[in-house]
Amino acid sequence: MRLFRVALACALLVPGVPPVSAGAWLMPDGVGFASSTTRLTWPQDNALLGWRQPEGRYDTLYFEYGLGRRLTAGADLGRSISGGGKMLAFLRLPLKDDGALRASAELGLGRIDGAQALRPGLSLGLGGAQGWLNADLLFEMRGDAGTDYKLDLTLGLRLPRKLRMILQLQTGVQQGDPPFARFAPSLVVPLHPRIQAEVGASWGLSGDASAGLLLGLWTEF
């Protein structure tokens, strides 16, 4: 809790500097962001002994591009809340785009697990030069297959040497299943002025008995 209060205080002190690819902040006009990540998972009771044989692997590709000051377009490819494959394109519009507190809404269209899908979402963020807080709420609507829900809460801190620490609580509800929650911390390390690596882990807290390892690359252009 002390870390949370410190980050919140920093965010309130210095407004106007958004994190890379955070839902409440739109991309600047003509600026793009892309990331590719791989998440490996193991049962929590065998994560150390069985590290050579992951139980699951999830690859994702994410893209955003600023189409003017008040419109961001993007694509989200990989795995959905239910674990099925997803291919979605989306548009994001600002609801509040000035000051430390930001809000945006988005609408995604595409396919999830082979079915046509609509994905509306809402994001709220509080940011500053030293850190940010963000909440992303998404609804994956698949017609007769039902609707899945996802809420991610993210605390980010800007560290010396251009490092970034990300502490995320990932929660969701898949149609017909109990809710799940997992803790996913990561560290973002600069490799080049426009390329960064993300190394992280995850641990299921409720409704999820997995442990995970995340490796990713970010780029801005």
Side-chain angles (χ1 to χ4, degrees):
M1 290 301 295
R2 183 176 182 273
L3 180 61
F4 181 90
R5 290 195 297 268
V6 170
L8 179 59
C10 292
L12 288 171
L13 284 173
V14 189
V17 182
V20 173
S21 181
W25 287 265
L26 273 66
M27 295 299 297
D29 182 24
V31 177
F33 168 84
S35 68
S36 176
T37 60
T38 295
R39 180 172 175 257
L40 304 176
T41 63
W42 298 263
Q44 289 182 357
D45 57 3
N46 196 37
L48 294 178
L49 295 179
W51 66 271
R52 293 179 180 272
Q53 297 179 325
E55 185 179 66
R57 173 174 173 167
Y58 305 94
D59 300 311
T60 63
L61 180 62
Y62 184 85
F63 169 81
E64 286 187 356
Y65 189 79
L67 297 176
R69 190 178 68 86
R70 296 181 59 81
L71 182 65
T72 289
D76 189 1
L77 313 176
R79 295 286 180 175
S80 65
I81 299 168
S82 63
K86 68 177 176 182
M87 298 179 63
L88 295 167
F90 64 86
L91 293 174
R92 181 178 301 132
L93 295 168
L95 300 178
K96 184 181 183 302
D97 60 355
D98 58 355
L101 180 64
R102 304 294 179 98
S104 67
E106 73 174 60
L107 181 64
L109 294 170
R111 301 187 71 83
I112 293 178
D113 203 14
Q116 292 185 347
L118 178 70
R119 190 182 74 177
L122 176 67
S123 297
L124 297 174
L126 182 65
Q130 302 302 318
W132 70 91
L133 300 170
N134 200 77
D136 295 305
L137 176 63
L138 295 172
F139 305 85
E140 295 183 348
M141 306 166 67
R142 296 173 293 145
D144 293 340
T147 300
D148 299 333
Y149 307 89
K150 184 179 182 182
L151 174 63
D152 290 342
L153 304 175
T154 304
L155 167 61
L157 292 174
R158 298 179 187 273
L159 305 178
R161 300 177 182 270
K162 297 185 178 180
L163 298 173
R164 303 181 190 188
M165 179 183 295
I166 298 175
L167 304 176
Q168 189 172 72
L169 179 64
Q170 303 171 348
T171 70
V173 182
Q174 180 186 347
Q175 181 74 18
D177 288 346
F180 71 85
R182 72 173 70 96
F183 178 57
S186 64
L187 184 68
V188 180
V189 181
L191 302 178
H192 181 270
R194 293 187 177 273
I195 299 176
Q196 302 172 75
E198 182 180 14
V199 180
S202 65
W203 187 265
L205 302 175
S206 175
D208 180 353
S210 72
L213 174 66
L214 181 142
L215 301 172
L217 286 176
W218 297 8
T219 183
E220 301 171 65
F221 54 92

